[in-house]
Amino acid sequence: EVQLVESGGALVQPGGSLRLSCAASGFTFNTYTMNWFRQAPGKGLEWVSLISSSSSAIHYADSVRGRFTVSRDNAKKSLYLQMNSLRAEDTAVYYCARDYGDPWGQGTLVTVSS
Amino acid sequence: QSVLTQPPSASGTPGQRVSISCSGSSSNIGSNYVYWYQQLPGSAPKLLVYRNTQRPSEVPARFSGSKSGTSASLAISGLRSEDEADYYCAAWDDSLSGYVFGTGTKVTVL
């Protein structure tokens, strides 16, 4: 069974940093592109970042470019999202997903507030 | 802000057919695959349709996707109470080099 489990969400002050992790199992992790998505409270879905299977291609949404960094460790079957200079508008549930969302993880909540 | 446009709501009685539209542009739907997701209250999104018309094996045949030009549609036939959820379309956008989502459609079963 394909499983994605996010962790690392927390309450953080504006300007702070946080690192999210996504542990993958049940599939050949090193052959898949991975994505981060997010959903602010009561709002729709938003794509955050993409990283290709070998990390050779990386893309970011304009809203996070320069502040967030995506990475992966294929040996550990893990995906990461380093989030710096966090803002209130980054408050959301963050989901990792295999490729275009097949499947999504259960999500981890990031709250940016003083 | 969402780049793809969906109606905010749709409804039907049990057994009816409901259709949800998704309008984009040449840089997204017009040149890339469309995906549809179902999000039940309090749950993570679930993939319903990929590559415009394909369904994962566990998704019932009542759900079907189509695409024409810069628009796409999701149809739910034989509507059931458990279909009450939010539905989102998405596509890769060549201009933005990222995925763009629709505004979301809340389906209500009357």
Side-chain angles (χ1 to χ4, degrees):
Chain A
E1 179 193 5
V2 175
Q3 267 202 316
L4 299 168
V5 180
E6 301 93 336
S7 61
L11 170 64
V12 61
Q13 292 189 338
S17 297
L18 209 56
R19 189 195 196 206
L20 304 183
S21 298
C22 170
S25 62
F27 65 100
T28 308
F29 182 73
N30 62 10
T31 65
Y32 282 88
T33 290
M34 298 294 294
N35 283 279
W36 285 101
F37 300 94
R38 67 183 181 182
Q39 185 171 35
K43 302 297 184 181
L45 299 172
E46 180 187 15
W47 170 77
V48 174
S49 181
L50 172 152
I51 183 167
S52 65
S53 57
S54 64
S55 304
S56 59
I58 289 175
H59 298 284
Y60 298 99
D62 287 344
S63 57
V64 307
R65 187 176 293 113
R67 301 187 299 122
F68 289 12
T69 302
V70 64
S71 62
R72 63 191 295 163
D73 185 331
N74 286 340
K76 294 183 177 179
K77 298 183 181 180
S78 293
L79 174 71
Y80 306 101
L81 187 67
Q82 177 66 43
M83 304 186 295
N84 299 329
S85 303
L86 283 162
R87 306 166 179 168
E89 53 266 34
D90 295 319
T91 294
V93 174
Y94 285 73
Y95 299 98
C96 66
R98 185 178 71 167
D99 211 342
Y100 41 77
D102 180 30
W104 298 55
Q106 87 289 347
T108 187
L109 177 62
V110 173
T111 303
V112 184
S113 175
S114 55
Chain B
Q1 69 282 11
S2 299
V3 174
L4 307 181
T5 301
Q6 297 178 234
S9 63
S11 63
T13 57
Q16 278 191 328
R17 183 179 185 273
V18 168
S19 183
I20 302 168
S21 61
C22 176
S23 178
S25 67
S26 58
S27 64
N28 43 66
I29 293 178
S31 52
N32 294 292
Y33 290 124
V34 177
Y35 306 90
W36 289 92
Y37 307 93
Q38 176 193 59
Q39 188 174 32
L40 297 170
S43 297
K46 170 190 172 184
L47 180 68
L48 280 183
V49 171
Y50 64 100
R51 294 177 188 168
N52 305 331
T53 61
Q54 303 303 301
R55 276 180 293 105
S57 58
E58 68 274 15
V59 173
R62 305 186 293 105
F63 295 91
S64 61
S66 64
K67 170 184 158 178
S68 178
T70 58
S71 294
S73 290
L74 175 73
I76 310 173
S77 59
L79 195 64
R80 304 176 67 162
S81 58
E82 56 260 41
D83 298 333
E84 275 207 346
D86 293 322
Y87 292 82
Y88 295 91
C89 60
W92 181 262
D93 190 295
D94 292 332
S95 297
L96 299 174
S97 291
Y99 283 102
V100 291
F101 279 90
T103 44
T105 299
K106 183 175 184 61
V107 169
T108 302
V109 181
L110 302 171

